[in-house]
Amino acid sequence: MSKPTPISGFPEWTPAQRMIEQYVLDRIRDTFELYGFAPLETRAVEPLDQLLRKGETSKEVYLIRRLQADADADGPAGDDALGLHFDLTVPFARYVLENAGKLQFPFRRYQIQKVWRGERPQEGRYREFLQADIDIVDRDTLAPHHEAEMPLVIGDALRSLPIPPVRIQVNNRKICEGFYQGIGLTDPESALRAVDKLDKIGPAKVAELLAQTAGASEAQAKAVLSLAEISAPDASFADAVRALGVSDPMLDEGVEELVRVVETAAAHSPGLCVADLRIARGLDYYTGTVYETQMVGYERFGSICSGGRYDNLASAGATRFPGVGISIGVTRLLGLLFGAGALSVSRDVPTCVLVAVTSEEQRAASNRVAEALRSRGVPTEVSPSAAKFGKQIRYAERRGIPYVWFPGVDGAADEVKDIRSGEQAAAAAGEWTPPRADLRPLVS
Protein backbone atom coordinates (compact mmCIF):
# COMPACT_ATOMS: atom_id res chain seq x y z
CA MET A 1 0.00 0.00 0.00
CA SER A 2 1.39 3.42 -0.94
CA LYS A 3 1.68 6.18 1.63
CA PRO A 4 -1.78 7.74 2.18
CA THR A 5 -2.37 11.33 1.12
CA PRO A 6 -3.98 13.48 3.83
CA ILE A 7 -7.38 14.99 3.04
CA SER A 8 -7.69 18.59 4.21
CA GLY A 9 -10.65 19.64 6.27
CA PHE A 10 -11.14 16.26 7.98
CA PRO A 11 -9.19 16.57 11.25
CA GLU A 12 -7.83 13.52 13.04
CA TRP A 13 -6.57 14.48 16.48
CA THR A 14 -3.71 12.77 18.29
CA PRO A 15 -4.65 10.60 21.30
CA ALA A 16 -3.67 13.46 23.63
CA GLN A 17 -5.83 15.91 21.69
CA ARG A 18 -8.67 13.42 21.62
CA MET A 19 -8.51 13.15 25.42
CA ILE A 20 -8.80 16.94 25.61
CA GLU A 21 -11.77 16.81 23.26
CA GLN A 22 -13.44 14.13 25.40
CA TYR A 23 -12.87 16.24 28.51
CA VAL A 24 -14.41 19.28 26.79
CA LEU A 25 -17.42 17.26 25.62
CA ASP A 26 -17.99 15.87 29.12
CA ARG A 27 -18.01 19.37 30.64
CA ILE A 28 -20.34 20.72 27.96
CA ARG A 29 -22.67 17.73 28.36
CA ASP A 30 -22.75 18.17 32.14
CA THR A 31 -23.76 21.83 31.80
CA PHE A 32 -26.47 21.08 29.25
CA GLU A 33 -27.97 18.47 31.54
CA LEU A 34 -27.79 20.82 34.54
CA TYR A 35 -30.17 23.06 32.61
CA GLY A 36 -32.53 20.18 31.87
CA PHE A 37 -31.68 19.45 28.23
CA ALA A 38 -32.15 15.81 27.20
CA PRO A 39 -29.79 14.01 24.78
CA LEU A 40 -30.74 13.28 21.20
CA GLU A 41 -28.99 11.92 18.11
CA THR A 42 -30.41 12.11 14.60
CA ARG A 43 -29.34 10.33 11.41
CA ALA A 44 -26.45 11.72 9.37
CA VAL A 45 -28.45 12.11 6.14
CA GLU A 46 -31.51 14.14 5.21
CA PRO A 47 -33.52 14.49 1.99
CA LEU A 48 -32.03 17.17 -0.24
CA ASP A 49 -35.29 19.08 -0.45
CA GLN A 50 -35.14 19.53 3.33
CA LEU A 51 -31.46 20.51 3.37
CA LEU A 52 -31.85 23.06 0.59
CA ARG A 53 -35.14 24.71 1.47
CA LYS A 54 -33.67 27.18 3.96
CA GLY A 55 -30.56 29.34 3.73
CA GLU A 56 -27.70 29.70 1.28
CA THR A 57 -26.28 26.21 1.74
CA SER A 58 -26.73 24.44 -1.60
CA LYS A 59 -23.05 24.69 -2.55
CA GLU A 60 -21.93 23.24 0.80
CA VAL A 61 -24.04 20.08 0.98
CA TYR A 62 -22.31 16.72 0.44
CA LEU A 63 -24.43 14.33 -1.60
CA ILE A 64 -24.84 10.63 -0.81
CA ARG A 65 -24.59 8.23 -3.74
CA ARG A 66 -23.80 4.52 -3.93
CA LEU A 67 -21.08 3.48 -6.34
CA GLN A 68 -23.53 1.21 -8.16
CA ALA A 69 -26.95 2.64 -7.43
CA ASP A 70 -30.02 1.02 -8.94
CA ALA A 71 -31.52 3.14 -11.68
CA ASP A 72 -35.01 2.66 -10.24
CA ALA A 73 -33.84 3.74 -6.76
CA ASP A 74 -33.59 7.40 -7.79
CA GLY A 75 -36.36 9.76 -6.84
CA PRO A 76 -37.68 11.26 -3.60
CA ALA A 77 -36.44 8.37 -1.45
CA GLY A 78 -33.47 7.25 -3.55
CA ASP A 79 -29.80 7.64 -2.70
CA ASP A 80 -29.40 10.50 -5.17
CA ALA A 81 -31.87 12.55 -3.16
CA LEU A 82 -29.92 12.36 0.12
CA GLY A 83 -27.23 14.60 1.56
CA LEU A 84 -25.14 14.77 4.75
CA HIS A 85 -26.51 17.29 7.21
CA PHE A 86 -24.59 20.59 7.33
CA ASP A 87 -25.89 21.55 10.79
CA LEU A 88 -28.01 19.98 13.52
CA THR A 89 -30.92 22.43 13.44
CA VAL A 90 -32.49 21.23 10.18
CA PRO A 91 -32.48 17.52 11.19
CA PHE A 92 -33.77 18.47 14.64
CA ALA A 93 -36.69 20.37 13.10
CA ARG A 94 -37.49 17.31 10.98
CA TYR A 95 -37.28 15.08 14.07
CA VAL A 96 -39.74 17.30 15.94
CA LEU A 97 -42.23 17.11 13.08
CA GLU A 98 -41.98 13.32 12.89
CA ASN A 99 -42.25 12.77 16.65
CA ALA A 100 -44.43 15.65 17.84
CA GLY A 101 -47.04 13.25 19.22
CA LYS A 102 -44.46 11.63 21.52
CA LEU A 103 -42.77 14.79 22.82
CA GLN A 104 -43.56 16.99 25.81
CA PHE A 105 -43.46 20.70 25.00
CA PRO A 106 -41.54 22.87 25.46
CA PHE A 107 -39.01 20.25 24.36
CA ARG A 108 -35.42 20.83 25.48
CA ARG A 109 -32.74 18.77 23.79
CA TYR A 110 -28.99 18.75 23.34
CA GLN A 111 -27.22 17.06 20.46
CA ILE A 112 -23.49 16.44 20.04
CA GLN A 113 -22.69 15.08 16.58
CA LYS A 114 -20.51 15.35 13.50
CA VAL A 115 -21.72 17.53 10.62
CA TRP A 116 -20.35 17.98 7.11
CA ARG A 117 -20.01 21.16 5.10
CA GLY A 118 -18.20 21.65 1.80
CA GLU A 119 -16.28 24.76 2.82
CA ARG A 120 -12.76 25.72 1.81
CA PRO A 121 -10.60 24.30 4.65
CA GLN A 122 -8.60 26.86 6.64
CA GLU A 123 -7.56 27.43 10.22
CA GLY A 124 -10.62 26.85 12.39
CA ARG A 125 -12.81 25.79 9.45
CA TYR A 126 -13.30 22.16 8.49
CA ARG A 127 -15.37 20.02 6.17
CA GLU A 128 -16.13 17.49 8.92
CA PHE A 129 -16.56 18.82 12.41
CA LEU A 130 -18.27 18.29 15.74
CA GLN A 131 -21.06 20.53 17.00
CA ALA A 132 -22.74 20.68 20.41
CA ASP A 133 -26.26 22.10 20.09
CA ILE A 134 -29.07 23.00 22.45
CA ASP A 135 -32.59 23.89 21.31
CA ILE A 136 -35.91 24.62 22.94
CA VAL A 137 -39.05 24.21 20.82
CA ASP A 138 -42.70 24.63 21.66
CA ARG A 139 -46.00 24.15 19.90
CA ASP A 140 -47.49 27.26 18.21
CA THR A 141 -45.77 29.84 20.44
CA LEU A 142 -42.44 30.03 22.26
CA ALA A 143 -42.05 32.45 25.17
CA PRO A 144 -39.33 35.09 24.62
CA HIS A 145 -37.66 34.29 27.96
CA HIS A 146 -36.20 31.17 26.35
CA GLU A 147 -34.15 33.45 24.09
CA ALA A 148 -32.72 35.10 27.20
CA GLU A 149 -31.81 31.69 28.67
CA MET A 150 -29.53 30.59 25.82
CA PRO A 151 -26.54 32.82 26.70
CA LEU A 152 -26.70 31.67 30.33
CA VAL A 153 -26.31 28.01 29.34
CA ILE A 154 -23.53 28.69 26.86
CA GLY A 155 -21.75 31.06 29.24
CA ASP A 156 -21.70 28.40 31.96
CA ALA A 157 -20.65 25.66 29.54
CA LEU A 158 -17.73 27.61 28.08
CA ARG A 159 -16.69 28.99 31.46
CA SER A 160 -16.27 25.39 32.69
CA LEU A 161 -13.57 24.79 30.05
CA PRO A 162 -9.85 25.67 30.18
CA ILE A 163 -10.23 28.23 27.39
CA PRO A 164 -9.94 32.03 27.14
CA PRO A 165 -12.92 34.15 28.23
CA VAL A 166 -15.75 34.48 25.73
CA ARG A 167 -18.05 37.31 24.73
CA ILE A 168 -21.50 36.60 23.32
CA GLN A 169 -22.66 39.17 20.77
CA VAL A 170 -26.44 39.37 20.52
CA ASN A 171 -28.85 41.06 18.16
CA ASN A 172 -32.47 40.59 17.13
CA ARG A 173 -33.52 40.14 13.52
CA LYS A 174 -36.74 42.03 14.26
CA ILE A 175 -34.66 45.13 15.00
CA CYS A 176 -32.95 44.90 11.64
CA GLU A 177 -36.01 43.96 9.59
CA GLY A 178 -38.22 46.51 11.35
CA PHE A 179 -35.63 49.22 10.84
CA TYR A 180 -35.23 48.34 7.16
CA GLN A 181 -39.01 48.46 6.71
CA GLY A 182 -39.11 51.76 8.55
CA ILE A 183 -36.66 53.36 6.11
CA GLY A 184 -38.51 51.95 3.10
CA LEU A 185 -36.37 48.96 2.07
CA THR A 186 -38.57 46.34 0.41
CA ASP A 187 -36.09 43.42 0.54
CA PRO A 188 -34.99 43.10 4.19
CA GLU A 189 -33.58 39.58 3.71
CA SER A 190 -31.10 40.76 1.07
CA ALA A 191 -30.16 43.65 3.35
CA LEU A 192 -29.53 41.23 6.21
CA ARG A 193 -27.29 39.07 4.05
CA ALA A 194 -25.31 42.15 3.01
CA VAL A 195 -24.84 43.33 6.61
CA ASP A 196 -23.72 39.82 7.59
CA LYS A 197 -20.65 40.38 5.39
CA LEU A 198 -19.65 43.60 7.16
CA ASP A 199 -16.66 42.14 9.01
CA LYS A 200 -15.40 40.43 5.84
CA ILE A 201 -15.71 43.21 3.23
CA GLY A 202 -16.12 46.45 5.18
CA PRO A 203 -18.73 49.25 5.16
CA ALA A 204 -18.01 50.61 1.67
CA LYS A 205 -18.46 47.23 -0.02
CA VAL A 206 -21.56 46.50 2.09
CA ALA A 207 -23.06 49.80 0.93
CA GLU A 208 -22.46 48.75 -2.68
CA LEU A 209 -23.98 45.34 -1.98
CA LEU A 210 -27.03 46.95 -0.37
CA ALA A 211 -27.59 49.00 -3.51
CA GLN A 212 -27.09 46.00 -5.82
CA THR A 213 -29.06 43.32 -3.96
CA ALA A 214 -31.53 45.20 -1.75
CA GLY A 215 -32.18 48.22 -3.94
CA ALA A 216 -30.99 50.64 -1.25
CA SER A 217 -30.45 54.32 -2.00
CA GLU A 218 -27.35 56.06 -0.70
CA ALA A 219 -29.33 57.46 2.26
CA GLN A 220 -30.86 54.07 3.06
CA ALA A 221 -27.48 52.34 2.92
CA LYS A 222 -26.07 55.00 5.26
CA ALA A 223 -28.94 54.42 7.70
CA VAL A 224 -28.42 50.64 7.59
CA LEU A 225 -24.72 51.07 8.38
CA SER A 226 -25.54 53.51 11.21
CA LEU A 227 -27.73 50.85 12.82
CA ALA A 228 -24.97 48.24 12.40
CA GLU A 229 -22.49 50.50 14.22
CA ILE A 230 -24.50 50.38 17.47
CA SER A 231 -22.95 48.27 20.20
CA ALA A 232 -23.33 48.35 23.99
CA PRO A 233 -22.71 46.02 26.96
CA ASP A 234 -26.08 46.99 28.45
CA ALA A 235 -29.58 48.13 27.49
CA SER A 236 -28.32 51.57 26.45
CA PHE A 237 -28.24 50.28 22.87
CA ALA A 238 -32.02 50.87 22.83
CA ASP A 239 -31.54 54.63 23.22
CA ALA A 240 -29.03 54.63 20.37
CA VAL A 241 -31.54 52.84 18.12
CA ARG A 242 -34.32 55.29 18.98
CA ALA A 243 -31.97 58.21 18.31
CA LEU A 244 -31.88 57.18 14.64
CA GLY A 245 -35.50 58.34 14.39
CA VAL A 246 -36.99 55.28 12.67
CA SER A 247 -40.39 54.00 13.74
CA ASP A 248 -41.81 50.52 13.12
CA PRO A 249 -43.79 48.07 15.34
CA MET A 250 -41.44 45.18 14.52
CA LEU A 251 -38.44 47.34 15.42
CA ASP A 252 -39.97 48.18 18.81
CA GLU A 253 -40.72 44.52 19.49
CA GLY A 254 -37.16 43.49 18.65
CA VAL A 255 -35.66 46.18 20.89
CA GLU A 256 -37.83 45.04 23.81
CA GLU A 257 -36.80 41.40 23.33
CA LEU A 258 -33.10 42.21 23.05
CA VAL A 259 -33.22 44.39 26.18
CA ARG A 260 -34.55 41.33 28.06
CA VAL A 261 -31.70 39.15 26.75
CA VAL A 262 -28.98 41.65 27.67
CA GLU A 263 -30.39 42.41 31.12
CA THR A 264 -30.90 38.73 31.96
CA ALA A 265 -27.32 37.92 30.96
CA ALA A 266 -25.93 40.88 32.92
CA ALA A 267 -27.72 39.71 36.07
CA HIS A 268 -26.33 36.19 35.67
CA SER A 269 -22.82 36.96 34.43
CA PRO A 270 -21.79 40.63 34.04
CA GLY A 271 -19.83 41.21 30.85
CA LEU A 272 -20.90 37.97 29.18
CA CYS A 273 -23.17 39.55 26.55
CA VAL A 274 -22.90 42.64 24.40
CA ALA A 275 -25.63 43.98 22.13
CA ASP A 276 -24.03 44.27 18.69
CA LEU A 277 -26.41 45.27 15.93
CA ARG A 278 -24.09 44.24 13.11
CA ILE A 279 -24.70 40.57 13.98
CA ALA A 280 -27.14 39.32 11.36
CA ARG A 281 -26.45 35.57 10.86
CA GLY A 282 -26.66 34.62 7.19
CA LEU A 283 -29.10 31.72 7.48
CA ASP A 284 -32.58 32.74 6.39
CA TYR A 285 -34.51 30.79 9.01
CA TYR A 286 -33.68 33.06 11.98
CA THR A 287 -36.53 35.36 13.01
CA GLY A 288 -35.64 36.80 16.44
CA THR A 289 -32.61 36.92 18.72
CA VAL A 290 -29.34 35.85 17.11
CA TYR A 291 -26.07 34.99 18.85
CA GLU A 292 -22.39 34.89 17.94
CA THR A 293 -19.62 34.09 20.39
CA GLN A 294 -15.95 35.03 20.20
CA MET A 295 -13.00 33.96 22.32
CA VAL A 296 -11.02 36.89 23.67
CA GLY A 297 -7.73 37.01 21.76
CA TYR A 298 -9.13 34.96 18.87
CA GLU A 299 -11.62 37.48 17.51
CA ARG A 300 -10.01 37.48 14.06
CA PHE A 301 -11.25 33.91 13.55
CA GLY A 302 -14.88 34.86 14.05
CA SER A 303 -17.55 33.02 16.01
CA ILE A 304 -17.03 29.71 17.80
CA CYS A 305 -20.66 29.47 18.93
CA SER A 306 -23.75 30.83 17.21
CA GLY A 307 -27.48 30.41 16.75
CA GLY A 308 -30.81 32.14 17.10
CA ARG A 309 -34.59 32.12 17.22
CA TYR A 310 -36.54 30.48 14.40
CA ASP A 311 -40.33 30.45 13.99
CA ASN A 312 -40.95 28.76 10.64
CA LEU A 313 -38.34 26.02 10.28
CA ALA A 314 -40.63 23.31 11.64
CA SER A 315 -44.30 23.41 10.64
CA ALA A 316 -46.96 20.90 9.67
CA GLY A 317 -50.07 22.41 8.12
CA ALA A 318 -51.42 25.02 10.49
CA THR A 319 -49.23 23.81 13.40
CA ARG A 320 -45.88 25.47 13.96
CA PHE A 321 -43.05 24.51 16.27
CA PRO A 322 -41.05 27.69 16.93
CA GLY A 323 -37.68 27.28 18.60
CA VAL A 324 -34.46 28.86 19.70
CA GLY A 325 -31.08 27.18 19.58
CA ILE A 326 -27.37 27.75 19.81
CA SER A 327 -24.44 25.62 18.71
CA ILE A 328 -20.87 25.34 19.96
CA GLY A 329 -18.40 24.58 17.17
CA VAL A 330 -16.36 22.14 19.24
CA THR A 331 -13.89 21.19 16.49
CA ARG A 332 -13.48 24.82 15.48
CA LEU A 333 -12.83 25.92 19.06
CA LEU A 334 -10.33 23.14 19.72
CA GLY A 335 -8.62 23.50 16.35
CA LEU A 336 -7.86 27.17 17.03
CA LEU A 337 -6.49 26.41 20.51
CA PHE A 338 -4.48 23.39 19.34
CA GLY A 339 -2.99 25.52 16.57
CA ALA A 340 -1.91 28.12 19.12
CA GLY A 341 -0.50 25.49 21.50
CA ALA A 342 -2.92 26.81 24.13
CA LEU A 343 -4.19 23.47 25.44
CA SER A 344 -2.25 20.63 26.97
CA VAL A 345 -2.87 17.42 28.88
CA SER A 346 -0.72 16.08 31.71
CA ARG A 347 -0.04 12.77 29.96
CA ASP A 348 -0.68 11.20 26.57
CA VAL A 349 -2.47 8.09 27.86
CA PRO A 350 -5.22 7.52 30.44
CA THR A 351 -3.02 4.98 32.25
CA CYS A 352 -2.14 5.86 35.84
CA VAL A 353 -0.26 2.67 36.78
CA LEU A 354 1.96 0.30 34.81
CA VAL A 355 2.19 -3.10 36.51
CA ALA A 356 5.67 -4.51 35.95
CA VAL A 357 6.13 -8.15 34.94
CA THR A 358 8.82 -10.02 36.86
CA SER A 359 8.93 -12.86 34.33
CA GLU A 360 6.59 -14.22 31.71
CA GLU A 361 5.84 -17.11 34.06
CA GLN A 362 4.64 -14.52 36.62
CA ARG A 363 2.49 -12.46 34.17
CA ALA A 364 -0.71 -13.89 35.70
CA ALA A 365 0.25 -12.33 39.04
CA SER A 366 0.69 -8.93 37.35
CA ASN A 367 -2.67 -9.36 35.64
CA ARG A 368 -4.34 -9.97 39.03
CA VAL A 369 -2.85 -6.75 40.40
CA ALA A 370 -4.12 -4.83 37.37
CA GLU A 371 -7.61 -6.30 37.78
CA ALA A 372 -7.69 -5.28 41.45
CA LEU A 373 -6.65 -1.72 40.64
CA ARG A 374 -9.12 -1.41 37.74
CA SER A 375 -11.97 -2.69 39.94
CA ARG A 376 -11.35 0.37 42.12
CA GLY A 377 -11.33 2.79 39.18
CA VAL A 378 -7.56 3.14 38.70
CA PRO A 379 -6.62 3.11 34.97
CA THR A 380 -4.00 0.37 34.72
CA GLU A 381 -2.07 -1.55 32.11
CA VAL A 382 0.38 -4.42 32.35
CA SER A 383 3.90 -4.13 30.96
CA PRO A 384 4.11 -5.56 27.42
CA SER A 385 7.31 -7.45 28.24
CA ALA A 386 9.24 -8.91 31.15
CA ALA A 387 12.34 -6.86 30.33
CA LYS A 388 14.64 -5.58 33.05
CA PHE A 389 12.81 -3.27 35.43
CA GLY A 390 14.82 -0.30 34.19
CA LYS A 391 13.44 -0.79 30.68
CA GLN A 392 9.89 -1.20 31.99
CA ILE A 393 10.27 2.06 33.93
CA ARG A 394 11.54 3.83 30.81
CA TYR A 395 8.54 2.49 28.92
CA ALA A 396 6.27 4.12 31.52
CA GLU A 397 8.25 7.37 31.33
CA ARG A 398 7.91 7.57 27.56
CA ARG A 399 4.13 7.18 27.84
CA GLY A 400 3.81 9.61 30.73
CA ILE A 401 2.53 6.94 33.17
CA PRO A 402 3.27 8.26 36.68
CA TYR A 403 3.39 5.00 38.67
CA VAL A 404 5.02 1.58 38.24
CA TRP A 405 3.78 -1.31 40.37
CA PHE A 406 6.18 -4.12 41.32
CA PRO A 407 4.44 -7.37 42.37
CA GLY A 408 6.04 -9.02 45.39
CA VAL A 409 8.04 -12.21 44.85
CA ASP A 410 8.35 -15.14 47.28
CA GLY A 411 5.96 -13.62 49.81
CA ALA A 412 7.40 -10.10 49.72
CA ALA A 413 4.97 -7.16 49.71
CA ASP A 414 4.05 -5.39 46.50
CA GLU A 415 5.59 -1.96 46.00
CA VAL A 416 4.55 1.05 43.95
CA LYS A 417 6.96 3.69 42.65
CA ASP A 418 6.25 7.28 41.67
CA ILE A 419 8.75 7.47 38.82
CA ARG A 420 8.68 11.29 38.82
CA SER A 421 9.94 11.65 42.39
CA GLY A 422 11.57 8.25 42.78
CA GLU A 423 9.59 7.52 45.95
CA GLN A 424 8.75 3.83 46.42
CA ALA A 425 6.62 2.22 49.13
CA ALA A 426 4.85 -1.01 50.01
CA ALA A 427 1.24 -1.13 48.80
CA ALA A 428 -1.77 -3.44 48.46
CA ALA A 429 -3.73 -3.41 45.20
CA GLY A 430 -7.02 -3.67 47.10
CA GLU A 431 -6.32 -0.51 49.13
CA TRP A 432 -3.84 1.79 47.40
CA THR A 433 -5.23 4.89 45.69
CA PRO A 434 -3.19 7.49 43.79
CA PRO A 435 -3.56 11.21 44.53
CA ARG A 436 -6.66 12.63 42.83
CA ALA A 437 -4.52 14.79 40.53
CA ASP A 438 -2.83 11.67 39.14
CA LEU A 439 -5.88 9.45 38.68
CA ARG A 440 -6.86 10.99 35.33
CA PRO A 441 -4.97 13.14 32.84
CA LEU A 442 -5.39 16.84 33.64
CA VAL A 443 -6.29 19.32 30.91
CA SER A 444 -4.86 22.83 31.19
Side-chain angles (χ1 to χ4, degrees):
M1 179 179 178
S2 60
K3 185 177 180 180
T5 302
I7 304 176
S8 63
F10 295 83
E12 294 178 318
W13 305 134
T14 65
Q17 291 172 330
R18 176 63 173 155
M19 283 195 293
I20 294 172
E21 182 184 59
Q22 294 281 56
Y23 171 85
V24 165
L25 294 177
D26 287 344
R27 302 303 290 268
I28 291 173
R29 186 182 297 108
D30 287 347
T31 303
F32 288 172
E33 293 186 354
L34 280 174
Y35 276 85
F37 291 87
L40 183 68
E41 181 170 316
T42 56
R43 65 198 185 205
V45 299
E46 295 293 333
L48 281 180
D49 60 347
Q50 295 297 311
L51 291 174
L52 304 183
R53 71 189 181 94
K54 291 290 184 181
E56 298 176 313
T57 55
S58 58
K59 295 180 181 179
E60 298 180 357
V61 173
Y62 280 108
L63 302 181
I64 295 292
R65 186 177 68 84
R66 287 188 294 144
L67 186 61
Q68 293 182 333
D70 296 332
D72 58 359
D74 298 340
D79 290 347
D80 286 352
L82 298 177
L84 292 170
H85 57 223
F86 59 85
D87 73 358
L88 298 178
T89 305
V90 171
F92 173 60
R94 186 266 311 159
Y95 179 89
V96 169
L97 289 176
E98 287 185 5
N99 297 277
K102 306 173 187 176
L103 304 177
Q104 296 295 320
F105 294 98
F107 179 46
R108 304 164 69 92
R109 84 84 171 84
Y110 75 86
Q111 196 166 341
I112 301 175
Q113 274 184 254
K114 290 282 185 73
V115 301
W116 295 267
R117 196 173 295 177
E119 295 189 298
R120 181 174 64 86
Q122 52 188 297
E123 188 172 13
R125 289 196 177 276
Y126 305 96
R127 294 188 281 180
E128 178 184 68
F129 50 98
L130 193 65
Q131 286 188 327
D133 283 26
I134 51 171
D135 282 83
I136 304 173
V137 297
D138 209 340
R139 190 189 297 269
D140 296 325
T141 61
L142 179 74
H145 65 76
H146 293 299
E147 295 172 60
E149 183 183 8
M150 288 286 125
L152 313 188
V153 185
I154 293 302
D156 286 357
L158 296 179
R159 193 162 37 244
S160 74
L161 306 178
I163 66 173
V166 300
R167 183 182 302 109
I168 303 177
Q169 300 162 297
V170 293
N171 192 7
N172 193 298
R173 294 279 277 259
K174 294 176 185 176
I175 294 176
C176 299
E177 293 189 30
F179 186 88
Y180 302 160
Q181 290 174 180
I183 62 174
L185 282 178
T186 57
D187 190 354
E189 289 188 356
S190 293
L192 275 169
R193 285 194 287 271
V195 172
D196 194 42
K197 296 178 171 62
L198 196 52
D199 286 336
K200 295 179 181 178
I201 63 177
K205 294 289 186 183
V206 167
E208 293 178 11
L209 201 56
L210 285 166
Q212 294 168 4
T213 63
S217 67
E218 184 177 342
Q220 288 171 327
K222 185 177 180 180
V224 168
L225 291 172
S226 295
L227 180 71
E229 290 173 358
I230 296 174
S231 177
D234 51 36
S236 64
F237 78 89
D239 296 329
V241 173
R242 296 186 185 103
L244 296 177
V246 176
S247 178
D248 183 89
M250 182 182 288
L251 170 62
D252 295 339
E253 186 178 337
V255 168
E256 181 183 338
E257 291 177 1
L258 191 58
V259 165
R260 183 187 293 111
V261 171
V262 172
E263 290 183 340
T264 301
H268 177 79
S269 181
L272 174 64
C273 279
V274 57
D276 190 335
L277 303 196
R278 73 171 53 204
I279 302 303
R281 302 293 299 138
L283 292 175
D284 295 341
Y285 52 66
Y286 293 125
T287 57
T289 306
V290 288
Y291 318 90
E292 288 197 354
T293 308
Q294 295 184 335
M295 284 192 297
V296 175
Y298 293 80
E299 291 87 351
R300 68 188 185 280
F301 295 107
S303 180
I304 52 101
C305 174
S306 57
R309 165 76 180 244
Y310 48 90
D311 285 319
N312 304 310
L313 189 60
S315 60
T319 304
R320 292 190 311 157
F321 298 93
V324 60
I326 193 166
S327 172
I328 301 173
V330 178
T331 306
R332 177 172 172 75
L333 181 157
L334 290 176
L336 293 173
L337 295 175
F338 288 156
L343 282 177
S344 62
V345 65
S346 58
R347 57 182 186 261
D348 291 346
V349 294
T351 311
C352 176
V353 177
L354 176 75
V355 181
V357 177
T358 306
S359 67
E360 287 302 331
E361 290 74 20
Q362 296 296 318
R363 180 170 289 276
S366 297
N367 288 340
R368 286 192 293 271
V369 171
E371 289 169 3
L373 290 169
R374 291 178 193 133
S375 71
R376 299 175 52 252
V378 181
T380 306
E381 63 180 274
V382 178
S383 177
S385 73
K388 292 181 180 179
F389 282 161
K391 288 187 176 180
Q392 295 187 54
I393 291 172
R394 285 194 291 276
Y395 171 82
E397 286 176 334
R398 287 194 303 271
R399 291 168 58 78
I401 302 171
Y403 296 95
V404 175
W405 191 284
F406 300 101
V409 179
D410 297 330
D414 290 6
E415 294 188 351
V416 63
K417 180 173 185 171
D418 183 336
I419 63 175
R420 300 160 298 183
S421 66
E423 294 181 5
Q424 186 167 328
E431 301 173 0
W432 180 85
T433 300
R436 185 178 181 85
D438 290 335
L439 186 62
R440 306 283 177 182
L442 298 178
V443 176
S444 59

